[in-house]
Amino acid sequence: MNSSHAADPHPAGPLPALPVSPEYAPERQLRVSVELTNICNFTCPFCPQAFKHAESTPLGAPYNRRQGLMARATFERAIAECNRVAETVELGFFGEQTLHRDYIELVRSLRERRFRLEISTNVSYVTREMMQAWIDARVDLLRFSLDAVTPEVFNRARPGKVKDLAGRIVADGERMKAVNDKVRYWLALPEHRPTRLVYVKSSHNQGDERERFLAHWTPCLGPDDRILMKRVLTYGGKTADPLVLAHRCNVWDVRYLMIDWRGVVSPCNLDTNMDLALGNVLQDSIDALYHGPVANDLRRRTGCLKDLTPCRTCVDGNNWSNNETFANPLYENVGASR
């Protein structure tokens, strides 16, 4: 799987002494996404991954970032910095993180940490061993990107290879069943961690799919689980969908920081091409990058429709205004609301 993709330019092994960030007080802490890989096995029509081999994206912002896997040294440096500055770390950003060859080992290495740990996955390549690693690491929150519950809609909205719990690729007609079986298996585990079943509302899953999704999954939710339904975004002006709604940029308000598989840092969770790069954690501390001259210049220049890529084509920012959450009625007044 890895031979056709770029290798991390920074070799594994001990790093020379690097600048370290001061420990942030809670009110200064960041929400960091650590990208183990930007490779994805899905080509969803509302995601830039569908256009990674195209000359352009529907709204014009480029998506041509090199693909690869994060090296252990890059991961360890990123996590060491996150332990000083992060309130929450998500293993995610762009790509399907479970495709990393060392995914299970990296997850388990985070059991001792100072931040909340969140996991995002499309569930397609998840195995029982990965689920056990989430439990062993005491992951604080998992997000399963599903967007459908019936085969016809799933095949349209979430095309790509799927494995069953035993790790075998399934036939196209069995893709939805394999994913549903895995989600049901996870939710039935007494020790499973708090989970969000995510349904991105797009033009590809309209009709009665929403109601079918709710009817299917709501009874399976535990007290700390939720269904999260949210509106599709353009990923910084790359994709298009009739359901997109305008919204102002808020990435500096919520103190986001993305660390891609090479160690490159961006303040924007919609900057999937890393066009707003602040620098690299293998050269500078997160504190120096997030508060340095490049970042200070971007604070003045970034925002929807400003003259920067991808801002010039971004109209929706992080539009969470129409997010909906649903609990199992048995536990409506129990558990977390995040």
Side-chain angles (χ1 to χ4, degrees):
M1 179 183 70
N2 306 328
S3 59
S4 62
H5 300 288
D8 190 314
H10 309 282
L15 290 169
L18 290 169
V20 297
S21 298
E23 292 191 11
Y24 280 14
E27 65 272 13
R28 295 187 64 213
Q29 288 176 340
L30 307 176
R31 179 180 179 85
V32 182
S33 292
V34 175
E35 178 189 75
L36 302 182
T37 180
N38 62 338
I39 301 166
C40 190
N41 55 310
F42 278 7
T43 54
C44 306
F46 50 84
C47 175
Q49 294 284 13
F51 307 100
K52 61 178 176 280
H53 299 303
E55 292 185 5
S56 62
T57 60
L59 292 184
Y63 179 58
N64 54 15
R65 179 160 58 103
R66 202 156 51 103
Q67 293 188 309
L69 306 176
M70 182 174 276
R72 175 59 67 94
T74 310
F75 176 80
E76 290 177 353
R77 164 64 176 174
I79 295 304
E81 279 290 284
C82 287
N83 270 318
R84 304 179 71 84
V85 305
E87 183 272 335
T88 297
V89 170
E90 176 187 15
L91 291 189
F93 174 39
F94 212 52
E96 173 50 38
Q97 306 307 295
T98 60
L99 297 180
H100 195 287
R101 56 178 170 252
D102 299 324
Y103 180 79
I104 292 172
E105 187 179 350
L106 295 178
V107 169
R108 287 197 168 122
S109 74
L110 298 176
R111 182 183 174 105
E112 301 300 325
R113 59 183 183 271
R114 298 181 183 177
F115 46 76
R116 280 178 51 87
L117 177 61
E118 300 183 358
I119 298 281
S120 291
T121 175
N122 64 25
V123 193
S124 59
Y125 274 38
V126 168
T127 62
R128 289 186 182 90
E129 191 177 3
M130 290 178 186
M131 293 180 182
Q132 188 58 51
W134 298 338
I135 293 169
D136 293 343
R138 301 179 197 153
V139 171
D140 294 286
L141 189 70
L142 291 114
R143 293 185 188 84
F144 293 169
S145 296
L146 302 176
D147 304 335
V149 74
T150 58
E152 179 185 3
V153 178
F154 187 69
N155 289 344
R156 179 172 66 243
R158 311 287 288 174
K161 296 295 184 183
V162 170
K163 292 182 178 181
D164 61 19
L165 268 172
R168 298 170 298 212
I169 297 288
V170 302
D172 286 352
E174 297 297 311
R175 296 173 66 251
M176 184 82 271
K177 180 181 184 302
V179 168
N180 286 348
D181 285 350
K182 286 194 273 191
V183 176
R184 191 178 298 107
Y185 175 87
W186 169 252
L187 294 177
L189 292 174
E191 66 272 39
H192 82 267
R193 307 299 295 161
T195 302
R196 301 292 176 265
L197 307 185
V198 180
Y199 185 101
V200 175
K201 296 176 281 189
S202 74
S203 60
H204 304 282
N205 57 9
Q206 294 297 286
D208 64 353
E209 190 70 5
R210 166 196 162 97
E211 286 68 32
R212 287 173 178 246
F213 191 94
L214 290 170
H216 183 93
W217 288 122
T218 302
C220 301
L221 301 176
D224 295 317
D225 306 321
R226 299 289 185 273
I227 291 170
L228 171 61
M229 293 194 164
K230 59 183 185 179
R231 191 174 293 270
V232 66
L233 300 174
T234 67
Y235 288 94
K238 298 178 182 68
T239 62
D241 195 283
L243 294 187
V244 168
L245 289 178
H247 190 266
R248 71 174 185 86
C249 175
N250 66 356
V251 294
W252 295 104
D253 299 340
V254 294
R255 300 194 298 275
Y256 272 151
L257 196 74
M258 310 295 120
I259 304 177
D260 86 348
W261 66 274
R262 303 162 297 177
V264 177
V265 168
S266 170
C268 179
N269 64 312
L270 304 176
D271 183 23
T272 55
N273 212 43
M274 303 303 280
D275 293 306
L276 302 174
L278 304 178
N280 195 300
V281 293
L282 294 172
Q283 298 167 350
D284 258 316
S285 70
I286 285 179
D287 180 67
L289 294 171
Y290 193 73
H291 296 286
V294 175
N296 290 336
D297 180 58
L298 284 178
R299 280 181 175 84
R300 295 189 295 268
R301 300 177 61 202
T302 48
C304 298
L305 301 181
K306 292 187 180 177
D307 191 28
L308 283 171
T309 299
C311 306
R312 62 170 57 92
T313 51
C314 185
V315 298
D316 50 331
N318 289 291
N319 191 348
W320 303 321
S321 60
N322 296 108
N323 282 10
E324 301 174 275
T325 57
F326 302 87
N328 187 329
L330 291 174
Y331 311 111
E332 269 187 314
N333 299 315
V334 181
S337 59
R338 291 185 63 165

